[in-house]
Amino acid sequence: MIAINMPVDIKGLTDQYENIDSLFIKPITKVKSKNFFSSSRFVGDHQMVHYVRSVHFNTNSGEEVFFDKNGDAPAVFDFVNVQISSEGTMRLVKVATYDFNSPEWKQITIQDDALMWNTEDNQTPTSLCSESCLPGFRQSVRKGWPVCCFDCVPCSAGEISNETDSHDCWPCPEDHWPNEKQTQCDLITLQFLSHKEPLGITLSCLTSLLFLITLLILCIFKKYQDTPIVKANNRGLSYVLLIALMLCFLSPFTFIGHPTMATCMIRQNSFGIIFSISISTILAKTITVIIAFNARDPTSRSSRWFGTRMPSGVVLLCSCVPILICTVWLLLDPPFPVKIQMGDTTIFQCDEGSVLFFYLMLGYLGLLATISFVIAFYARNLPQSFNEAKFLTFSMIVFLAVWVSFIPAYLSTNGKYLVAVEIFAILSSSAGLLCCIFIPKCYIILWRPDMNTKQYLLQKPISK
């Protein structure tokens, strides 16, 4: 309800202009026209507005009187609030005033404590259908509702909004990621196993050291290739195994560094193929030892065939299976680099693509290692001088123990630590094969030449 109070004091106006009639009427009498009333009235209104605009004075009560350009006196509006008391009586309470006479910045005066709203806790009602959407959200218009009715939907992953009541969210640049509230884009902190961090440097140095040790052992075997102990342990297979172990020690370098499409496709497949060659070589060496000590006539054609062709056939046959698995893997669902957002850190790693092929390759390596272990364990009681099967048995025990413990560790970690766990498994299993098979022989070759003779090897009894 609005009550209008006009602050024009006519008495004060007449006090200021005693002969007010002459002010408005006199100009009218000077106009000569055939139609006196119509012409005089038109000119009189125009003349009167002209003079009224210049009226400006204060009344005895202190109110200021003036007229605007249209000849209207500025008004004062009182706003009243209809309030019903607990007894049921109604009263009008003045709660605000709008005064055109006051300066613009203080024309309206509101008494908040006098207002009474018909809402809970006497809170001021809003005329909006929906509350404003804060930064980090966007407006989603409700279907079938007015345009002012909307829901506030959080921005999607990788997008932000930094304005209130934003209609859209926009994506962050490639090297940025939204903060927790999705109000601004922050620079991404990529996490991967780098060559520059301590863990990456340690693994790289360890890998290089083991590679150099393997290369040194290969040179020792090559230099002493005509000695009895090297001949007795199948020189050709020993060379193949040492070269395969060298490649095993080089494979961790594909795991360290910024993941790319090429390194993701190479790392697991090369690891599987190289390890299958290593284990199949051990299997061939074990079978060769068993055949050599169980052949009744070493000079027969069958013994010569098994002695020369069988080891190469075992290595080729056992290595074809992982090659076939890896080929199908790369054709159907190859590994690829992927970014995984975890808070303000982005884990950059290789997705294995088809997990089925990855575990199929691990399963095949485990099966091959188990077969090699069983056959080597069967041949452990052969003569001690030629008993390489005992060392092969120890090497397979180390290999199986490492990879059995690797699987739960692999499943419980992620990011660069997952890569570090796999590198450690590769290095420790390869080092186990190298130490168990070749270190005893190098010890005899370098420090016990008296044991590296045919007479010494032939005089050893059979171990029980």
Side-chain angles (χ1 to χ4, degrees):
M1 179 178 293
I2 301 175
I4 303 176
N5 178 20
M6 299 295 292
V8 180
D9 189 342
I10 301 300
K11 183 179 182 301
L13 180 62
T14 55
D15 291 341
Q16 296 288 334
Y17 299 94
E18 296 179 357
N19 193 8
I20 194 170
D21 292 337
S22 63
L23 180 65
F24 299 131
I25 304 302
K26 187 176 182 180
I28 301 176
T29 60
K30 294 182 179 181
V31 178
K32 296 181 179 180
S33 174
K34 294 181 179 179
N35 191 344
F36 174 80
F37 292 101
S38 60
S39 298
S40 299
R41 182 176 182 79
F42 174 77
V43 176
D45 289 346
H46 179 73
Q47 295 283 347
M48 185 174 66
V49 170
H50 171 73
Y51 288 105
V52 164
R53 288 175 181 172
S54 61
V55 174
H56 197 157
F57 62 92
N58 293 327
T59 65
N60 294 333
S61 61
E63 294 180 349
E64 186 180 12
V65 178
F66 63 93
F67 297 90
D68 60 16
K69 62 181 180 179
N70 298 319
D72 297 324
V76 175
F77 297 96
D78 291 335
F79 295 85
V80 296
N81 183 212
V82 179
Q83 300 180 4
I84 300 176
S85 64
S86 57
E87 292 81 10
T89 60
M90 185 179 65
R91 61 173 181 162
L92 301 178
V93 179
K94 179 181 176 181
V95 294
T97 302
Y98 193 94
D99 188 357
F100 284 91
N101 297 328
S102 302
E104 185 176 354
W105 57 274
K106 58 179 300 185
Q107 285 182 344
I108 186 168
T109 304
I110 301 176
Q111 301 175 11
D112 293 325
D113 55 347
L115 277 169
M116 182 178 291
W117 301 102
N118 189 23
T119 58
E120 295 182 3
D121 301 328
N122 196 30
Q123 296 296 320
T124 305
T126 59
S127 59
L128 295 176
C129 178
S130 303
E131 295 293 336
S132 295
C133 293
L134 298 176
F137 295 81
R138 63 175 179 86
Q139 293 182 355
S140 176
V141 179
R142 299 174 185 173
K143 186 177 294 186
W145 289 64
V147 293
C148 62
C149 298
F150 50 82
D151 295 318
C152 295
V153 180
C155 292
S156 303
E159 296 183 343
I160 66 163
S161 68
N162 56 4
E163 299 175 353
T164 303
D165 289 333
S166 177
H167 295 282
D168 298 296
C169 299
W170 49 90
C172 288
E174 185 176 358
D175 57 343
H176 288 71
W177 191 259
N179 59 357
E180 186 177 355
K181 295 182 178 180
Q182 292 185 281
T183 56
Q184 66 179 19
C185 294
D186 296 333
L187 188 64
I188 289 177
T189 303
L190 288 179
Q191 184 189 89
F192 60 91
L193 188 59
S194 173
H195 294 282
K196 299 179 180 180
E197 62 179 297
L199 181 59
I201 294 173
T202 303
L203 292 175
S204 298
C205 293
L206 184 60
T207 298
S208 302
L209 178 63
L210 291 173
F211 172 80
L212 293 176
I213 292 174
T214 309
L215 180 61
L216 178 63
I217 293 175
L218 179 60
C219 294
I220 293 173
F221 266 63
K222 187 65 178 177
K223 181 178 180 179
Y224 296 94
Q225 61 180 344
D226 294 327
T227 59
I229 196 168
V230 176
K231 287 183 177 180
N233 290 281
N234 199 322
R235 287 178 299 186
L237 291 178
S238 296
Y239 295 155
V240 173
L241 180 56
L242 285 170
I243 294 173
L245 289 176
M246 289 172 61
L247 295 176
C248 287
F249 290 130
L250 288 178
S251 63
F253 284 112
T254 61
F255 290 82
I256 303 175
H258 196 283
T260 62
M261 191 67 184
T263 55
C264 288
M265 294 178 66
I266 291 174
R267 60 171 60 173
Q268 300 293 2
N269 294 280
S270 61
F271 146 74
I273 294 173
I274 294 170
F275 261 89
S276 65
I277 295 174
S278 302
I279 300 174
S280 60
T281 303
I282 295 174
L283 178 61
K285 288 170 72 70
T286 307
I287 295 175
T288 302
V289 172
I290 293 176
I291 292 176
F293 282 91
N294 286 280
R296 296 182 179 180
D297 185 8
T299 61
S300 65
R301 180 180 300 178
S302 59
S303 297
R304 289 198 302 270
W305 189 90
F306 278 108
T308 57
R309 300 184 181 180
M310 186 274 304
S312 301
V314 171
V315 174
L316 290 176
L317 181 62
C318 294
S319 301
C320 286
V321 177
I323 292 175
L324 179 62
I325 293 174
C326 293
T327 302
V328 178
W329 185 4
L330 292 177
L331 291 176
L332 296 182
D333 193 2
F336 58 92
V338 64
K339 294 179 181 178
I340 302 175
Q341 185 69 27
M342 297 185 66
D344 58 349
T345 302
T346 299
I347 297 177
F348 200 13
Q349 64 183 18
C350 289
D351 191 299
E352 306 305 341
S354 175
V355 181
L356 173 63
F357 285 103
F358 176 71
Y359 286 108
L360 188 62
M361 183 184 66
L362 288 181
Y364 175 76
L365 293 178
L367 176 63
L368 198 60
T370 303
I371 295 174
S372 301
F373 168 73
V374 171
I375 296 177
F377 182 80
Y378 171 76
R380 71 190 186 283
N381 290 326
L382 293 177
Q384 181 70 19
S385 301
F386 295 91
N387 195 2
E388 188 181 14
K390 181 176 292 186
F391 299 110
L392 297 176
T393 304
F394 291 151
S395 66
M396 286 296 97
I397 291 175
V398 173
F399 183 89
L400 289 173
V402 169
W403 287 101
V404 167
S405 60
F406 160 76
I407 294 177
Y410 182 85
L411 295 176
S412 61
T413 56
N414 52 29
K416 64 180 181 180
Y417 300 105
L418 182 145
V419 177
V421 165
E422 188 167 358
I423 291 176
F424 179 78
I426 293 174
L427 295 179
S428 56
S429 58
S430 301
L433 298 180
L434 183 68
C435 293
C436 292
I437 298 175
F438 293 101
I439 295 299
K441 299 177 178 60
C442 290
Y443 171 75
I444 295 175
I445 293 172
L446 297 177
W447 287 282
R448 295 297 303 273
D450 58 304
M451 298 175 61
N452 192 12
T453 61
K454 187 174 182 180
Q455 292 77 12
Y456 180 83
L457 296 177
L458 292 176
Q459 70 182 2
K460 298 295 291 182
I462 298 176
S463 62
K464 297 182 182 180

